[in-house]
Amino acid sequence: MPRTIPDMGTVALAVTDGMLHFELSVAYEVFGAAPVGVTDPWYDVALCGPDAVQVGRFRLEPDHGLDRLRRADTVIVPAWADVDEDPPADLVDAVRAAHDAGARVASLCTGAFVLAAAGLLDGKRATTHWAHTGVLAARYPRVEVDPDVLYVDNGSVLSSAGKAAALDLCLHLVRLDHGSSTANAVARRLVVPPHRAGGQAQFVTAPVPARDDHPLAALFPWVLERLDHPLTVEDLARRARMSSRTLGRHFRAATGTTPLQWLLTQRIRRAQELLETTDDSVDAIATATGMGTSTTLRRHFNRTVGVPPDTYRRTFRARSRTASNDTRPPQRH
């Protein structure tokens, strides 16, 4: 029977001929090794597939057969190269069986076609690479395809858009299992900004610019160091040395959202970290994140994350205690 809170034991990477290597590599990099300083039990990664498989230009020999997916706690399905062809039946059956056995299943990029073929996305919201959302929607009309988000979290079934969004989803899974601080540590190890997080309510924010010469490149770290200040659009525009209208245009182009919405998202993420890592009161956290009052924090936090701050803290602490009492990754039978 599927579990409401995923265990953190085995992450099985499902591979077969026709998979793409980038998304597979992303998943292995995120789940393959704990970041420095993390003492909680980390993931046991299993590469599962039928004999030797061709992944992009590389030939891989999986450590386990596809039947191993049934005993995994999380199954990752990387991108599927040829969306014009049906994915292999043995892969589809194995992914479906893993989910039926209680595994959390996540697709990266066009791996969503495998989940859709397995029926795991029927009646659910899902996404894939923007270039293939139309094909996914047409082939699987029971799937609610959303082409505008980075990833979608349906609890036991998750899907991401293409390439970089696959990394976002993997970091999201680490955040769910280990908390924001650990997810941020993984992001630092991979030298990527942890600013594309999706929450329990499928809230997705767009990234900060990757280019150092972007007009807003210096603004983002400046803001993140001052989240306890009552910043306004005018404050950000003045710091960026541009008009509020120009700032809004650059923000929309770089992040896909408005300056105020981006700022609110960062405040919520900081509140999550403080709820996880400190015993500060909700009032103190509201002040530290620039929310002003606990009422304001509770309203925005509940709407964005899906639960009140106190519930979030209790749930995270309970999950952390369960993990710390286990010296070995949980075994599934």
Side-chain angles (χ1 to χ4, degrees):
M1 183 175 182
R3 286 164 283 186
T4 55
I5 298 178
D7 291 316
M8 296 180 287
T10 301
V11 172
L13 309 180
V15 298
T16 189
D17 283 337
M19 289 289 181
L20 297 178
H21 66 273
F22 179 86
E23 289 77 6
L24 175 62
S25 301
V26 162
Y28 192 85
E29 282 294 325
V30 170
F31 301 111
V36 175
V38 173
T39 58
D40 290 342
W42 198 245
Y43 305 97
D44 177 22
V45 176
L47 189 64
C48 306
D51 301 320
V53 298
Q54 192 73 31
V55 178
R57 297 181 179 180
F58 302 99
R59 193 73 172 166
L60 296 180
E61 293 190 10
D63 301 314
H64 308 275
L66 288 173
D67 58 333
R68 178 68 175 84
L69 300 184
R70 290 177 57 90
R71 293 182 286 120
D73 297 292
T74 298
V75 172
I76 305 293
V77 182
W80 173 246
D82 192 353
V83 298
D84 294 327
E85 299 289 336
D86 292 332
D90 56 349
L91 174 64
V92 172
D93 292 342
V95 169
R96 184 190 301 115
H99 183 261
D100 290 345
R104 175 178 60 181
V105 179
S107 64
L108 307 181
C109 192
T110 51
F113 283 80
V114 177
L115 271 58
L120 303 187
L121 299 180
D122 288 353
K124 293 184 175 66
R125 183 163 158 259
T127 194
T128 188
H129 191 289
W130 60 267
H132 304 295
T133 51
V135 177
L136 183 65
R139 187 175 304 168
Y140 302 100
R142 297 182 63 183
V143 180
E144 182 186 343
V145 179
D146 189 337
D148 299 320
V149 296
L150 296 174
Y151 60 85
V152 176
D153 181 349
N154 290 302
S156 64
V157 179
L158 306 90
S159 56
S160 83
K163 301 303 178 184
L167 178 57
D168 297 322
L169 178 53
C170 290
L171 289 174
H172 173 62
L173 293 174
V174 174
R175 182 171 290 107
L176 290 177
D177 294 341
H178 289 276
S180 296
S181 295
T182 300
N184 290 346
V186 175
R188 285 194 298 271
R189 176 170 62 84
L190 298 177
V191 199
V192 296
H195 296 292
R196 306 214 308 178
Q200 296 169 1
Q202 289 81 58
F203 182 87
V204 177
T205 183
V208 300
R211 290 172 24 227
D212 291 338
D213 62 345
H214 191 279
L216 302 182
L219 179 64
F220 288 100
W222 182 85
V223 172
L224 294 176
E225 292 174 359
R226 293 165 177 79
L227 290 179
D228 57 330
H229 291 56
L231 298 171
T232 65
V233 173
E234 289 72 24
D235 293 330
L236 272 60
R238 188 161 45 249
R239 178 67 184 182
R241 298 181 180 179
M242 59 183 65
S243 69
S244 297
R245 177 175 294 183
T246 301
L247 177 76
R249 186 170 66 251
H250 281 301
F251 242 94
R252 178 68 68 179
T255 72
T257 190
T258 66
L260 284 182
Q261 186 60 66
W262 181 87
L263 180 58
L264 175 61
T265 301
Q266 307 317 311
R267 295 191 194 281
I268 294 297
R269 291 196 61 253
R270 179 65 58 81
Q272 286 180 291
E273 291 186 31
L274 293 174
L275 288 166
E276 296 168 10
T277 60
T278 75
D279 293 319
D280 293 351
S281 67
V282 175
D283 285 301
I285 292 175
T287 300
T289 57
M291 293 288 193
T293 67
S294 60
T295 300
T296 301
L297 172 59
R298 292 180 196 279
R299 181 174 71 252
H300 289 298
F301 196 95
N302 196 18
R303 188 177 67 222
T304 301
V305 180
V307 294
D310 308 273
T311 302
Y312 180 88
R313 170 176 271 165
R314 286 195 301 270
T315 302
F316 179 82
R317 295 287 174 87
R319 185 166 61 228
S320 296
R321 284 195 297 270
T322 299
S324 63
N325 289 336
D326 248 343
T327 57
R328 297 175 303 171
Q331 300 297 311
R332 300 194 47 215
H333 304 284

